Amino acid sequence: MRRFEELAWSETPRGEISLRRRVEPTLEVDVYEVKLGDEFLMSSLFTAAEIELARLGLAQAKGEHLDVVVGGLGLGCTARAALEDERVRSMIVVDAMPEVIDWHERELLPDAAALVRDPRTRLQLANFFELAASDAGFDVETPSRTFDVVLLDIDHTPHHLLHPDHAPFYTEDGLRRLKRHLRPDGVFALWSDDPPDDGFCALLERVFDRVRAHVVDFDNFLTGGTSSNTVYVAV
């Protein structure tokens, strides 16, 4: 088996994007990585918080037939974790990069089949932030449809953004526009690479009824210690 392989590569308006597989020599496991330009976007080495994003968000959802939106497909960790909840009736996964959707549809990732072949799943090529701000909402086939849960993992943090165009979302007005697409008792959950941000929690509290910032710890073999991400859950 080759120790390094570039599975896919494309030129995009935001730079070169690539999906790579390599063998991590310390653990002797396959690692899948996504790189945009010179920046590493994600790695299958550390996925605990992406999985907890789905679990923590869905834990606050009420009802037995849940309609879910996932903002950001990535390596599919959050979407697959959401499908583990048997209450999920439907799930739209929104991603702005056709290349990322294509990787999953071609099943270049080892667990892609479980996601794309699940009848509850629809992969939708669109800009999450534009849909959140629009009156029509997240389902391009059914305008103004509302949802029980929205899970978001696109930017690094509410302040460290992949693109400046995302900034209006992380404001009181942007979050109120998102809230219009949630049903009563709906849940919004957000992954962040930083520790809990008191200012962002206060912003969420101006829009939602209940807000909690969960710290998700995980072992980091690269440092020999523990690292952490944050999952914000707003109801």
Side-chain angles (χ1 to χ4, degrees):
M1 177 183 291
R2 282 186 270 181
R3 300 190 71 83
F4 176 86
E5 184 178 9
E6 187 171 75
L7 301 176
W9 176 95
S10 298
E11 185 71 52
T12 79
R14 298 187 181 183
E16 299 174 354
I17 189 169
S18 60
L19 173 65
R20 300 134 44 107
R21 182 200 61 79
R22 66 178 177 84
V23 176
E24 170 51 51
T26 305
L27 303 177
E28 284 297 322
V29 297
D30 281 344
V31 178
Y32 291 82
E33 298 171 326
V34 179
K35 190 176 181 183
L36 181 62
D38 294 326
E39 186 173 14
F40 282 95
L41 293 186
M42 60 201 74
S43 168
S44 63
L45 271 176
F46 305 111
T47 60
E50 287 87 344
I51 293 170
E52 286 303 302
L53 170 63
R55 293 176 177 169
L56 290 168
L58 285 162
Q60 294 300 312
K62 296 181 179 180
E64 295 302 318
H65 304 288
L66 302 179
D67 297 316
V68 178
V69 172
V70 177
L73 174 56
L75 297 176
C77 300
T78 298
R80 289 197 307 274
L83 290 174
E84 292 176 4
D85 191 318
E86 294 182 353
R87 297 176 301 154
V88 173
R89 173 173 59 185
S90 72
M91 181 177 67
I92 296 175
V93 186
V94 180
D95 203 284
M97 291 192 168
E99 295 83 5
V100 176
I101 292 177
D102 177 65
W103 300 341
H104 286 268
E105 290 178 338
R106 291 164 57 196
E107 300 181 8
L108 296 180
L109 292 154
D111 298 318
L115 175 62
V116 299
R117 298 184 189 183
D118 192 303
R120 296 173 291 172
T121 302
R122 189 204 314 164
L123 304 185
Q124 181 169 277
L125 177 62
N127 184 310
F128 173 91
F129 300 101
E130 290 178 359
L131 298 184
S134 72
D135 293 332
F138 293 111
D139 189 344
V140 298
E141 297 180 0
T142 310
S144 301
R145 180 184 174 195
T146 55
F147 294 85
D148 299 288
V149 181
V150 173
L151 308 170
L152 178 59
D153 177 10
I154 293 178
D155 293 307
H156 297 297
T157 80
H159 305 291
H160 182 191
L161 310 181
L162 289 182
H163 195 278
D165 289 350
H166 302 174
F169 176 82
Y170 300 98
T171 65
E172 184 171 345
D173 180 63
L175 292 170
R176 289 194 183 279
R177 289 177 178 274
L178 164 73
K179 187 179 176 182
R180 296 177 306 162
H181 308 310
L182 288 172
R183 293 172 184 152
D185 296 320
V187 179
F188 168 57
L190 170 73
W191 174 90
S192 174
D193 195 30
D194 278 353
D197 183 312
D198 290 341
F200 187 65
C201 284
L203 175 62
L204 288 169
E205 288 169 351
R206 293 202 293 272
V207 178
F208 295 92
D209 296 328
R210 301 195 312 276
V211 174
R212 183 176 175 186
H214 300 262
V215 176
V216 180
D217 295 322
F218 54 91
D219 293 333
N220 187 334
F221 80 96
L222 294 174
T223 65
T226 301
S227 294
S228 62
N229 295 151
T230 300
V231 174
Y232 298 93
V233 180
V235 182

